[in-house]
Amino acid sequence: MNYIREIKKDIYWVGASDKRLALFENMFPIPEGVSYNAYLINDEKTCLLDTVDVSARLDFLDNLKAALKGRDLDYLVVNHMEPDHCALIEELALKYPKMIVIGNPKTFNFIKQFYNLDLSERSLLVYDENELDLGKHHLRFYMAPMVHWPEVMMTYETSEKIIFSADAFGSFGANDGNIFNDENKIDDRWFAEARRYYANIVGKYGQQVIATLNKLSKLDIRMIAPLHGLVWRSDLLTIINKYKTWASYTPEENKAIIIYASMYGNTAKAAQVLNVLVNENGIHGTKVYDVSKTPISELISESFRASHIILASPTYNGDVYPLINNYLHDLKMLNLQNRTFAFIENGTWGPISGRIMKEKIESLKNIKVLDPIVTIRSALNETSYEDLKTLSYSIQYSIDTK
Ligand code: FEO
């Protein structure tokens, strides 16, 4: 059996979803699973755009067979060589001996690295804006380096005006057969998963994403068909504008988040007291996270959403609490910019975590740090409570004047 969907006449979604995988890239929790999208154009020539992860192999092969309707496979376009999309290249090359593989020079370098596969007689090298006729359908290729690997390209189908966009515009979440955006509720929860995917997977490469968005802006695009998540056939600007915001590291909301680490509850209490004070100053909607309970990928996603990030950490072995360190390392690696930070440090002796956190974020671009850094010695007292109050006014002023 198969579960293909025709996304336009003779163009089929032939991907598959995986709800058993716990961690994407063996790192990011995916409680709602993930989809691996692949597409088949069944024209005078048949052309598959990408394959899937090996975990989705059986469903994908059933779907591909159904969409081919007994025909041979003429072309495989490899838009992205990461194994969640290229895992079945070798198997398809053996199964369809006439299949020509289409990619750019970097694609073929990576194919050689992953597979012991001689494609010398079956390769079609393409460069920016090269074209290929399939019959009624016509493909044009656009290089999209570092969105999110160097070989990434996108394929534009000119008759239906579909952009096959590789990882761009993707999301976490299995699609359960509801492959189109208008078959799903696109609410805050959906965007949270889309942002978590973007920020953690592609977030480092904002500049390259903007360059690709600019390159695509001259195209008349009626449908976006990414390698993960939903196929967008309406309201395209909704997802395009989110990508513009995320890629330019612009906060989506003028709001604060508080991320704390706490071994025995004293730093947690300070975080909560600060949020009460901030609320009493009229600033609402601040979310408070325990770094030990919330996956770092979610904290990263929230940091791409919010304009103000308040970090509270005990001093631990003369440094910052290790999980806060992990978060700060990811923030730096993912190039987050344009944010306002505030810090609370705790320490029974020698509290220095606030100063260290401040040093760690100073290499980020266009960062502001609010005064004061609040120092707690073991537990809140009248002095540190007054400092929290002062910080709450700084946060209020900063949010109100943005
Ligand atoms: Fe979904 Fe960069 O692979």
Side-chain angles (χ1 to χ4, degrees):
M1 283 306 294
N2 68 82
Y3 50 95
I4 63 176
R5 298 285 308 266
E6 192 170 34
I7 64 169
K8 281 284 177 186
K9 186 167 166 31
D10 298 329
I11 305 179
Y12 298 91
W13 177 90
V14 294
S17 282
D18 186 349
K19 281 187 146 177
R20 294 197 298 178
L21 186 72
L23 299 173
F24 186 76
E25 293 187 357
N26 210 13
M27 186 164 33
F28 305 114
I30 42 169
E32 296 179 45
V34 65
S35 74
Y36 306 105
N37 300 335
Y39 305 90
L40 181 85
I41 303 176
N42 196 333
D43 200 331
E44 287 168 27
K45 295 287 186 183
T46 58
C47 179
L48 175 66
L49 294 113
D50 294 290
T51 76
V52 296
D53 187 85
V54 72
S55 65
R57 172 180 172 273
L58 290 178
D59 284 4
F60 164 74
L61 290 175
D62 282 346
N63 289 342
L64 176 61
K65 186 176 169 192
L68 278 170
K69 300 176 182 171
R71 298 182 63 197
D72 205 355
L73 181 57
D74 296 309
Y75 294 109
L76 167 63
V77 174
V78 181
N79 282 318
H80 188 13
M81 264 306 292
E82 193 162 6
D84 53 334
H85 309 293
C86 78
L88 299 184
I89 290 180
E90 188 169 31
E91 181 169 349
L92 293 182
L94 294 171
K95 191 169 180 175
Y96 300 103
K98 291 186 198 151
M99 179 185 86
I100 304 286
V101 178
I102 300 174
N104 57 64
K106 289 193 180 86
T107 318
F108 288 104
N109 281 346
F110 290 176
I111 289 176
K112 275 189 207 139
Q113 290 174 198
F114 277 106
Y115 301 112
N116 182 17
L117 188 59
D118 180 9
L119 293 174
S120 49
E121 303 296 316
R122 311 164 55 178
S123 303
L124 180 59
L125 262 181
V126 293
Y127 299 89
D128 218 23
E129 302 202 26
N130 281 177
E131 304 200 357
L132 177 73
D133 255 324
L134 301 174
K136 294 189 188 73
H137 299 90
H138 190 82
L139 303 182
R140 194 184 305 141
F141 304 99
Y142 289 92
M143 302 303 118
M146 302 318 297
V147 185
H148 95 276
W149 276 22
E151 87 300 351
V152 168
M153 58 186 204
M154 299 185 183
T155 301
Y156 181 60
E157 197 287 310
T158 61
S159 66
E160 299 288 1
K161 307 186 190 315
I162 304 171
I163 189 78
F164 295 96
S165 62
D167 276 341
F169 308 112
S171 171
F172 289 138
N175 61 34
D176 292 331
N178 305 315
I179 74 163
F180 293 106
N181 65 300
D182 53 39
E183 296 171 339
N184 291 270
K185 197 170 177 187
I186 306 298
D187 53 10
D188 287 351
R189 187 171 164 211
W190 188 88
F191 275 118
E193 279 300 87
R195 190 192 313 104
R196 192 165 68 88
Y197 170 83
Y198 173 84
N200 288 279
I201 308 296
V202 195
K204 180 179 177 65
Y205 304 111
Q207 200 181 338
Q208 291 87 342
V209 172
I210 294 282
T212 300
L213 289 174
N214 288 340
K215 191 189 262 193
L216 298 181
S217 66
K218 64 186 176 188
L219 300 178
D220 179 8
I221 294 173
R222 305 288 170 86
M223 183 180 279
I224 299 174
L227 288 175
H228 300 287
L230 302 177
V231 174
W232 287 77
R233 62 181 176 187
S234 60
D235 301 324
L236 303 194
L237 279 180
T238 304
I239 188 71
I240 290 171
N241 286 338
K242 284 287 183 192
Y243 257 67
K244 284 183 180 167
T245 302
W246 297 334
S248 59
Y249 305 99
T250 305
E252 261 177 275
E253 294 186 313
N254 190 23
K255 297 271 186 198
I257 56 172
I258 301 175
I259 300 172
Y260 69 82
S262 191
M263 288 180 281
Y264 303 108
N266 291 301
T267 314
K269 184 182 276 186
Q272 283 149 12
V273 168
L274 177 66
N275 194 28
V276 167
L277 293 167
V278 166
N279 267 297
E280 285 177 353
N281 293 349
I283 301 295
H284 308 301
T286 301
K287 291 194 176 171
V288 182
Y289 294 101
D290 180 342
V291 74
S292 301
K293 300 290 188 302
T294 307
I296 298 273
S297 65
E298 195 174 326
L299 300 178
I300 290 293
S301 173
E302 283 293 88
S303 304
F304 271 66
R305 176 183 64 82
S307 56
H308 289 64
I309 301 169
I310 295 116
L311 298 176
S313 173
T315 304
Y316 194 95
N317 287 336
D319 203 323
V320 175
Y321 191 78
L323 294 177
I324 293 279
N325 247 340
N326 292 351
Y327 160 80
L328 288 169
H329 177 77
D330 273 9
L331 269 196
K332 186 172 161 60
M333 199 172 64
L334 294 168
N335 232 344
L336 190 75
Q337 303 168 25
N338 310 322
R339 295 300 189 274
T340 301
F341 283 86
F343 301 106
I344 301 170
E345 62 185 3
N346 195 352
T348 299
W349 72 99
I352 53 167
S353 51
R355 197 179 65 216
I356 296 173
M357 289 190 285
K358 181 168 178 277
E359 283 167 9
K360 283 176 185 284
I361 59 101
E362 273 171 351
S363 60
L364 303 181
K365 285 186 192 150
N366 196 18
I367 291 299
K368 194 172 159 201
V369 176
L370 298 180
D371 287 328
I373 293 179
V374 176
T375 300
I376 299 164
R377 287 190 175 267
S378 306
L380 275 177
N381 60 17
E382 279 180 21
T383 307
S384 48
Y385 179 77
E386 285 306 313
D387 288 344
L388 274 185
K389 240 182 177 174
T390 307
L391 179 59
S392 77
Y393 293 133
S394 295
I395 294 167
Q396 176 202 356
Y397 181 77
S398 178
I399 287 183
D400 278 347
T401 53
K402 263 218 183 291

